[in-house]
Amino acid sequence: MRSPTVSTKLQRIASQAADYPQLVFTTLAHLIDVEFLREAFRRIRKSSSPGLDKVTARQYAEDLEENLEDLHERMRSGLYKAPPVVRVWLEKEDGKRRPIGKPTFEDKIVQRAVEMLLSAIYEQVFYDFSHGFRRGRSQHRALHELDKQLWQLNIGWIVNADITGLFDNLDHGHLRLFIRKRVNDGSIIRLIGKWLNAGVMEEGKLKYYETGTPQGGVISPLLSNIFLHYVLDDWFVKEVKPRMEGRCFMIRWADDFIIGCELESEARRIMAVLPKRFGRYGLSLHPEKTSIIRFKRPRSGGGGKDRQNGTIAFLGFTFYWAKSYRGYWVIKRKTARRRLARFMRELWRWCKKNMHEPIQQQHQALCVKLRGWFRYHGVRHNYRALKAVFACAGRAWRYWLSRRSSKGTVNWEKFDRLCVSYPLPRPRIIHNI
């Protein structure tokens, strides 16, 4: 008899999870066979950096079937060991650094296989207002939902919050308890425990941590979503919302979330209880990125308290009240000032660093950068920021081309002729939200 395909297995699990909300899955690991691992291999991004063993996706694929059979046997017998994760640091907007983990490629396959199983279950559990790291969701969908809720619910007050170091501070004990609410398969729980306790290789030294899950791991985003589902999402729906007199909503993207309230008193009550709620589970809110914001629709005459309205920062955009061309009050979006300034600085530095590269190569790279920026930030009401980035790219490119030889400055007339042969992408609105 032909064995069920991977998609059939996942659909069956998802259907059971949706039809029986109280069901606890106790036998899942046996579903991960060689075919399942092969599908996990297919879903992994092959261009990412290798981990501690320096094995790349191409090297692993040279003897793929043999490697997958050996991996399956080690998983089945319980001999699979999770290798340490190599940690590197990336610069953030505020000058601080963010840690990123690089697991080995084989470990990514195992993590992806387990993630596929758990996602089939937890996609039926997660609430619709949770958008981060979920298949079929996007940041623009979260932005659209925020815009929609602000309009429809007559929201006047916003609790804008950010969790400090979510991936570094996840409590392992609480996480295991949360997972066992729906999944109590010993093999799956042990695998997750191996990843949590595998250690981090940083600057040649192996370190072990009692909390946290390394950023960069395939399984980490799902584990963080499971943790916050029970700490925040489920708590908001079952305990906070029923106690509200006015209307309210929540939108969450990973560790960044917004709670909107119709009444100021209720926003302040939520703000007062949030630190206590997170403190029970070893988490805290970022003091500089968490605040209460007045965001009421301005009155026709304006002035007075309307000037006290704040702005909402979410996913790189700033939401604010403004007049439309027809004179109506509308909610507009623009790229956050810091993010805009940072990207312009990056363009300038890149042009300086690569000014001696061939023109064609510089042009191709700049096109990729600009198209990526316009694809994300090309939302309605944000055309001015797109034009500013386009102009900055032109200025930076011309300036550093002028300094790569002693023959003289590339004036604007000469640069315009160059742009006929090598045109930069023009700014345009892509997302009409």
Side-chain angles (χ1 to χ4, degrees), residues 27-72:
T27 53
L28 288 174
H30 71 281
L31 298 175
I32 303 179
D33 52 17
V34 175
E35 182 186 15
F36 205 97
L37 292 173
R38 191 182 302 114
E39 176 63 18
F41 168 84
R42 188 187 68 81
R43 295 189 184 189
I44 293 176
R45 187 162 57 94
K46 309 300 189 296
S47 59
S48 55
S49 302
L52 189 63
D53 60 1
K54 304 298 182 182
V55 176
T56 64
R58 178 177 295 182
Q59 292 170 334
Y60 196 88
E62 290 175 357
D63 297 307
L64 181 61
E65 292 304 314
E66 182 179 342
N67 288 332
L68 293 180
E69 289 176 5
D70 176 65
L71 175 60
H72 175 253

Side-chain angles (χ1 to χ4, degrees), residues 344 348 351 387-401 412 415 424:
M344 289 181 174
W348 193 268
C351 289
K387 283 180 62 179
V389 166
F390 178 78
C392 175
R395 287 195 305 270
W397 198 21
R398 186 194 72 85
Y399 181 88
W400 290 109
L401 284 178
W412 282 108
F415 183 70
L424 295 175

Side-chain angles (χ1 to χ4, degrees), residues 236-255:
F236 176 79
V237 170
K238 294 180 179 178
E239 297 188 34
V240 175
K241 208 169 182 180
R243 292 178 168 85
M244 294 291 176
E245 296 180 9
R247 290 172 289 187
C248 64
F249 74 91
M250 185 168 80
I251 301 288
R252 182 173 68 81
W253 182 276
D255 57 353

Side-chain angles (χ1 to χ4, degrees), residues 167-328:
F167 287 93
D168 294 330
N169 296 299
L170 285 184
D171 183 87
H172 295 173
H174 286 301
L175 178 60
R176 290 190 182 93
L177 290 175
F178 291 151
I179 293 174
R180 286 195 173 103
K181 289 178 180 287
R182 291 309 304 268
V183 176
N184 200 17
D185 183 315
S187 297
I188 298 295
I189 299 295
R190 281 192 292 274
L191 271 175
I192 293 174
K194 289 179 181 180
W195 290 319
L196 295 177
N197 298 307
V200 174
M201 183 67 71
E202 186 176 355
E203 297 178 351
K205 297 181 180 179
L206 183 59
K207 303 177 182 178
Y208 296 93
Y209 297 92
E210 296 181 359
T211 60
T213 173
Q215 296 188 50
V218 175
I219 196 69
S220 297
L222 177 59
L223 296 181
S224 68
N225 265 341
I226 294 173
F227 196 90
L228 287 183
H229 170 79
Y230 291 104
V231 172
L232 178 61
D233 302 353
D234 205 46
W235 170 74
F236 176 79
V237 170
K238 294 180 179 178
E239 297 188 34
V240 175
K241 208 169 182 180
R243 292 178 168 85
M244 294 291 176
E245 296 180 9
R247 290 172 289 187
C248 64
F249 74 91
M250 185 168 80
I251 301 288
R252 182 173 68 81
W253 182 276
D255 57 353
D256 191 2
F257 65 94
I258 284 177
I259 298 177
C261 298
E262 190 174 5
L263 304 177
E264 179 183 4
S265 59
E266 293 180 338
R268 297 199 178 279
R269 283 169 53 198
I270 292 175
M271 188 67 170
V273 77
L274 274 176
K276 301 175 185 176
R277 175 67 183 178
F278 283 111
R280 288 176 54 187
Y281 299 97
L283 297 176
S284 61
L285 295 177
H286 196 294
E288 298 176 2
K289 298 180 181 180
T290 303
S291 60
I292 293 181
I293 301 164
R294 185 182 189 274
F295 200 75
K296 290 189 175 184
R297 180 173 182 164
R299 293 170 295 179
S300 300
K305 289 188 176 181
D306 290 339
R307 295 198 185 98
Q308 299 175 10
N309 262 350
T311 59
I312 304 172
F314 190 58
L315 299 181
F317 288 92
T318 298
F319 285 69
Y320 62 101
W321 283 102
K323 284 285 188 71
S324 68
Y325 288 120
R326 296 184 178 181
Y328 301 112

Side-chain angles (χ1 to χ4, degrees), residues 337-351 373 384-393 395-396:
R337 186 179 302 175
R338 286 187 177 181
R339 182 165 292 199
L340 180 62
R342 183 186 64 172
F343 185 70
M344 289 181 174
R345 288 195 301 269
E346 289 176 355
L347 281 176
W348 193 268
R349 291 169 184 163
W350 186 91
C351 289
W373 176 267
R384 182 178 297 178
L386 305 186
K387 283 180 62 179
V389 166
F390 178 78
C392 175
R395 287 195 305 270

